[in-house]
Amino acid sequence: MSSSTLFGIATFAYLFATFFYVGYLAFRGRAVGNAATGMVWLGVVSQAGAMIMRWVESYRMGIGHAPLSNMYESLGFFGWCVMIAYLVVEYRFKQKAVGAFVSPLAFVILAANALLFPDEIQPLVPALQSNWLIAHVVTSFVAYGSFAVSFGVSIMYLVKRRSERMGSEGSLVSLFPESKMLDEVNYKSIAVGFPLLSLGIITGAAWANYAWGTYWSWDPKETWSLITWFIYAAYLHARFTRGWQGTRTAVLSIVGFSAVIFTYFGVNFLLSGLHSYS
Amino acid sequence: MTSENQQKVKSRESTGKPSTKSTEKSFIKGIYDSLASVTLAIFLLIILAMTSIVGTVVLQNGRPEQYLKEYGPGAYRLFQSLALDDMYRSWWFLTLLTLLLVNITLCSIKRFPRTWRLMTQSPAVLDESLFRRMKFRGSVRRGVSPGEAEERIRDLLADRFGKFTENRNEEAVTFFVDRGWYGRMGAYVVHLSILLLAIGAIYGGAVGFKGFVSIVEGQTINRVPLRGRNAAVKLPFDIRCDDFQVIYYPGTRQPKDYYSDLVVIRDGKEVQRKRIEVNHPLIVDGIYFYQSSYGVDQSSTVTFDVLDPSGKVAAPSVTVSVGQPFNVIGDSSTYGIQQILPSYIGGRPAVQMSRITAGGRQDFFISMAAPDRDKLRGGQVYFRIRDANIREYTGLQVAWDPGVPLVWIASSVMIGGLFIAFFVPHRRVWLRVELDPENTAVLMAGSTNRNPASFEKEFDGALVALKQALKKDRGKDIGDKE
């Protein structure tokens, strides 16, 4: 079995997980819920297998490096981190309904990856040959994964509030977790993501200092990661000391994740800079 | 939010008649209060996030003609007046950053005393009013004697919470568990780290330098031109480049690695040698030399044999450098070297050539590793590289930033601060035992500043265990009620 087959399996596993989670929302069947979680596990394990295979394969080609070095590899890893973060939330909060809003994200990420980016293993340019690569990429993407969960939960929150205001109970929405719980999960994901994002920026700065002689050069990628950091810092201050909750924090969280997405894709495809290879 | 954070700070405003002095005072206080407010912090964070976008969209530190070409003269004038072409160093962006630093400082100073009290001056006795203020509470009434109750509570607390203190008066004894008090320091530690970071960055920027120098193989330098400025620094030592090499991924022109062999010379003596490559700089006296780029020096020459298709010498050999056109006897075309690749196939040099005739231009490639391959081009003559005198240069970023250690210290402090701010909740539990032999009542109350859901579980678990522990005869359920 090749690594791209495994990625394909994972892509469809997340698609089916989405269906099952929606089904779970509709019917509350235990079996459906378990099938959904099972699908997520299938996806996560297949992806892990695929990444390990690529890693091994790169060594066999004599250009050994961790599978985190180009768009294809990092995007796959992003999808994986999203689902890992989700599994943690599902386990901690016992809220499977959230999966209906998170697994489609992972599906879209993996499907887009397969369609848009070449999957051949490429040799590393000298700038990427550093031990900082893994630390920087892993911390950043685990942070992105947690932010993706907070994004999914915030969307749920807004949908729920809207239907509550319109008084249309009884639909799928009434089966969402209560808004307080959604708000809590939103905060918790950001509370995990924020220190990791900080660590991602710091490891990136340390690496930049080794590779380019300056730890901060206002490169678009650096600047956008700082913009993301500012937004989540605003979220945390608003929540802790100004007592913001609910709709306003959900909106801030969505804005924050939009900044994450722009940091990741927008900078690579719309702007130019030092990060052009990833 | 727990109730403790919502206690209002008593206003200390004077009750006297309004006078000019007090108006002035309240004006200054008003400014201080807004500079020290979290609202300003949120506002600044959002404004900084929004304005930072500009510099990622508008070209930074470009040449005037680039702006004129891309945006036109009107937009360029606007950019210049708002310093958008160098916005991260512009007066207004630096003002915003400075305001944020002032805000962080004043806000922390203003809020710290209250936090300190919450951390260190917890009430030692659980009385009725404190009990009612707490979000988490419960009570138990049991038939065991106060002494027995105390014993069992000590066991329970040691088991569930670890350390605790006791405070005794005539009426009651209060057991107090105080965990993770330092978690409240988290936010202050993070704020302090940001100030340290700023100090490190400002100090490094003011004292240090960043430059770029290229050294041809064999050459020695001790002056480094500064980046973006018309100046240079003189190094307290000399740097010589002995050799430079590029290694390619097999079968490609993609560099796998490039190295420079550098020698540090002080007072005429070699004191250090190092082979540097990308991600592995040379450090001398805190000055970093980073492998950054490379190229072939203009003085490099290549000597060609000129042969006819049968392999016999057709003309005297020629020695030329890049961009220097030459002719060959009996051939009307003009030849020239476009580019020299110093170590191509088998680590041997190759050249990219051009041939210009009346009919146009033809590019071709000659590698020293394949001496007669050029014959296949089918020209009147073909070339063979007899000798190459190639001098490469290595491009080095040079940086001295004495603020860097402080930046790393600040970064570590920040991570530590974030960790305790988010993951070390300050949790307090009080247990009051009435010292009345007739009526052993126990009150239990608790508070946390983070993660109330998980504390609720812990608290409720402890409360259930307390009820269990205070049963007259442990192990047997005698069905008594609270």
Side-chain angles (χ1 to χ4, degrees):
Chain A
M1 202 183 292
S2 73
S3 67
S4 55
T5 314
L6 284 172
F7 275 125
I9 291 173
T11 312
F12 283 100
Y14 297 148
L15 179 65
F16 284 116
T18 307
F19 294 151
F20 286 137
Y21 279 121
V22 172
Y24 173 77
L25 264 181
F27 308 115
R28 290 271 135 176
R30 262 185 79 105
V32 186
N34 289 341
T37 308
M39 278 295 153
V40 175
W41 274 105
L42 174 66
V44 165
V45 171
S46 317
Q47 265 199 287
M51 288 187 285
I52 291 168
M53 280 179 76
R54 276 184 82 91
W55 204 334
V56 171
E57 181 62 17
S58 74
Y59 274 92
R60 208 174 293 150
M61 290 166 69
I63 49 172
H65 57 78
L68 302 169
S69 69
N70 59 17
M71 201 67 202
Y72 179 81
E73 292 174 338
S74 75
L75 200 54
F77 186 62
F78 180 36
W80 193 70
C81 288
V82 169
M83 292 323 284
I84 294 282
Y86 167 72
L87 280 177
V88 172
V89 166
E90 186 185 292
Y91 177 77
R92 282 285 301 264
F93 297 93
K94 313 281 178 236
Q95 295 294 338
K96 281 178 189 270
V98 177
F101 282 75
V102 180
S103 31
L105 279 179
F107 167 69
V108 169
I109 289 169
L110 289 200
N113 203 18
L115 291 175
L116 298 176
F117 301 107
D119 69 346
E120 77 238 74
I121 300 176
Q122 293 154 327
L124 279 185
V125 300
L128 287 182
Q129 296 162 11
S130 167
N131 293 332
W132 289 103
L133 173 74
I134 293 180
H136 174 56
V137 175
V138 168
T139 48
S140 304
F141 279 94
V142 176
Y144 291 0
S146 331
F147 291 143
V149 170
S150 83
F151 168 76
V153 167
S154 298
I155 297 279
M156 275 183 105
Y157 183 91
L158 293 184
V159 171
K160 187 170 174 78
R161 284 310 294 255
R162 186 155 179 272
S163 78
E164 274 172 4
R165 220 169 294 138
M166 289 167 45
S168 62
E169 284 289 322
S171 57
L172 284 185
V173 173
S174 64
L175 298 166
F176 283 10
E178 33 170 338
S179 5
K180 222 180 131 191
M181 169 66 86
L182 291 172
D183 195 52
E184 176 82 4
V185 176
N186 187 11
Y187 161 67
K188 286 276 172 58
S189 314
I190 292 174
V192 170
F194 189 73
L196 283 167
L197 174 68
S198 312
L199 203 53
I201 294 175
I202 291 169
T203 48
W207 184 6
N209 196 50
Y210 254 90
W212 301 318
T214 169
Y215 55 87
W216 193 263
S217 49
W218 295 102
D219 161 77
K221 194 87 160 189
E222 291 172 352
T223 307
W224 270 95
S225 69
L226 184 66
I227 290 169
T228 309
W229 194 87
F230 281 146
I231 295 170
Y232 284 113
Y235 169 100
L236 292 167
H237 284 86
R239 190 185 156 102
F240 279 150
T241 47
R242 306 299 309 158
W244 283 28
Q245 264 180 341
T247 307
R248 289 194 290 182
T249 39
V251 169
L252 255 185
S253 165
I254 290 170
V255 173
F257 189 66
S258 317
V260 168
I261 291 298
F262 197 85
T263 308
Y264 186 29
F265 300 106
V267 173
N268 288 4
F269 298 115
L270 303 176
L271 311 171
S272 61
L274 297 168
H275 264 84
S276 48
Y277 36 72
S278 61
Chain B
M1 282 297 99
T2 49
S3 59
E4 61 197 30
N5 289 349
Q6 282 158 1
Q7 290 167 14
K8 284 202 177 129
V9 182
K10 271 185 195 163
S11 131
R12 280 194 215 141
E13 271 176 46
S14 67
T15 48
K17 282 176 195 165
S19 67
T20 340
K21 212 177 168 187
S22 76
T23 322
E24 218 168 82
K25 223 175 173 179
S26 71
F27 176 69
I28 292 169
K29 194 177 178 309
I31 290 183
Y32 173 81
D33 281 347
S34 34
L35 277 178
S37 71
V38 181
T39 313
L40 179 68
I42 295 167
F43 174 77
L44 285 172
L45 287 169
I46 290 177
I47 290 290
L48 278 166
M50 281 162 48
T51 52
S52 295
I53 296 173
V54 177
T56 67
V57 179
V58 174
L59 174 73
Q60 297 293 292
N61 301 107
R63 292 186 308 276
E65 58 270 25
Q66 288 175 292
Y67 291 100
L68 290 172
K69 191 178 161 222
E70 193 147 338
Y71 309 99
Y76 183 43
R77 266 197 304 279
L78 179 73
F79 289 174
Q80 277 185 312
S81 60
L82 295 174
L84 297 187
D85 53 348
D86 189 15
M87 71 150 276
Y88 301 110
R89 269 180 287 267
S90 69
W91 63 270
W92 57 268
F93 192 74
L94 293 179
T95 306
L96 284 176
L97 286 178
T98 312
L99 260 179
L100 183 68
L101 294 179
V102 170
N103 175 244
I104 286 172
T105 313
L106 295 182
C107 192
S108 304
I109 290 172
K110 189 178 172 186
R111 299 174 73 92
F112 188 73
R114 203 172 50 158
T115 309
W116 185 252
R117 279 199 298 277
L118 283 167
M119 271 174 6
T120 58
Q121 297 167 19
S122 299
V125 174
L126 180 66
D127 57 21
E128 196 61 29
S129 84
L130 180 66
F131 180 73
R132 237 175 279 123
R133 281 212 310 275
M134 289 295 141
K135 194 176 165 195
F136 302 95
R137 48 180 195 243
S139 59
V140 189
R141 217 174 276 272
R142 286 289 189 262
V144 294
S145 71
E148 180 71 7
E150 277 182 49
E151 254 336 290
R152 295 183 186 179
I153 285 170
R154 275 191 203 101
D155 286 350
L156 176 110
L157 289 178
D159 190 34
R160 296 216 159 222
F161 297 104
K163 277 207 300 195
F164 58 90
T165 54
E166 292 182 35
N167 196 293
R168 194 176 293 272
N169 59 24
E170 287 101 63
E171 297 166 13
V173 51
T174 302
F175 297 89
F176 177 47
V177 177
D178 193 18
R179 272 195 328 193
W181 57 271
Y182 58 92
R184 289 186 189 273
M185 289 294 290
Y188 298 93
V189 172
V190 174
H191 290 170
L192 181 71
S193 78
I194 292 171
L195 295 180
L196 288 177
L197 196 66
I199 293 170
I202 292 167
Y203 175 63
V207 177
F209 66 81
K210 287 191 164 54
F212 178 85
V213 65
S214 47
I215 315 176
V216 178
E217 286 169 313
Q219 195 191 8
T220 305
I221 57 108
N222 73 348
R223 284 171 64 81
V224 177
L226 294 179
R227 207 188 295 161
R229 274 195 288 160
N230 210 354
V233 281
K234 192 175 175 300
L235 300 173
F237 47 82
D238 294 344
I239 296 276
R240 192 177 71 221
C241 174
D242 277 354
D243 191 19
F244 174 83
Q245 283 177 45
V246 189
I247 295 169
Y248 297 92
Y249 282 105
T252 70
R253 278 206 225 174
Q254 191 190 335
K256 182 181 183 188
D257 259 319
Y258 36 107
Y259 308 99
S260 304
D261 290 329
L262 299 183
V263 182
V264 183
I265 301 158
R266 221 189 278 267
D267 305 322
K269 264 181 273 171
E270 289 185 11
V271 291
Q272 197 178 341
R273 283 175 166 274
K274 185 168 180 183
R275 167 169 285 192
I276 67 161
E277 59 182 296
V278 183
N279 282 314
H280 300 280
L282 163 75
I283 307 159
V284 190
D285 293 356
I287 304 174
Y288 282 64
F289 297 83
Y290 303 87
Q291 182 68 66
S292 160
S293 59
Y294 57 89
V296 173
D297 190 57
Q298 286 182 332
S299 70
S300 305
T301 56
V302 177
T303 304
F304 300 104
D305 285 335
V306 186
L307 307 161
D308 67 20
S310 68
K312 283 191 206 131
V313 174
S317 57
V318 278
T319 300
V320 285
S321 55
V322 174
Q324 185 187 345
F326 65 94
N327 297 95
V328 174
I329 298 166
D331 188 338
S332 59
S333 30
T334 304
Y335 295 92
I337 302 176
Q338 295 293 310
Q339 195 194 354
I340 300 177
L341 298 165
S343 53
Y344 195 51
I345 299 167
R348 312 189 72 181
V351 286
Q352 170 96 43
M353 301 284 291
S354 71
R355 172 182 179 231
I356 297 166
T357 59
R361 182 177 141 168
Q362 177 198 8
D363 280 7
F364 58 102
F365 202 75
I366 311 174
S367 170
M368 202 170 178
D372 289 316
R373 196 124 175 262
D374 191 38
K375 196 194 292 189
L376 303 176
R377 186 164 49 86
Q380 289 168 305
V381 292
Y382 77 94
F383 299 101
R384 182 196 285 160
I385 301 174
R386 177 204 283 188
D387 194 16
N389 179 18
I390 299 169
R391 300 216 301 165
E392 290 174 89
Y393 69 81
T394 178
L396 305 177
Q397 299 268 18
V398 185
W400 180 55
D401 188 339
V404 164
L406 189 54
V407 169
W408 297 147
I409 290 170
S411 303
S412 321
V413 171
M414 181 188 289
I415 295 302
L418 286 170
F419 185 82
I420 62 173
F422 288 116
F423 304 114
V424 181
H426 183 203
R427 290 179 172 174
R428 295 179 294 178
V429 176
W430 291 266
L431 265 165
R432 177 189 170 102
V433 183
E434 297 294 337
L435 295 177
D436 178 355
E438 304 293 304
N439 181 19
T440 304
V442 180
L443 293 181
M444 182 170 162
S447 84
T448 180
N449 68 332
R450 292 273 184 280
N451 209 345
S454 97
F455 181 63
E456 190 170 12
K457 264 187 217 148
E458 190 182 17
F459 187 87
D460 290 349
L463 192 60
V464 168
L466 178 70
K467 287 175 182 169
Q468 199 70 35
L470 294 187
K471 278 179 182 169
K472 210 168 199 169
D473 185 5
R474 263 185 285 186
K476 242 194 248 168
D477 192 334
I478 49 170
D480 48 359
K481 56 186 179 189
E482 283 175 32

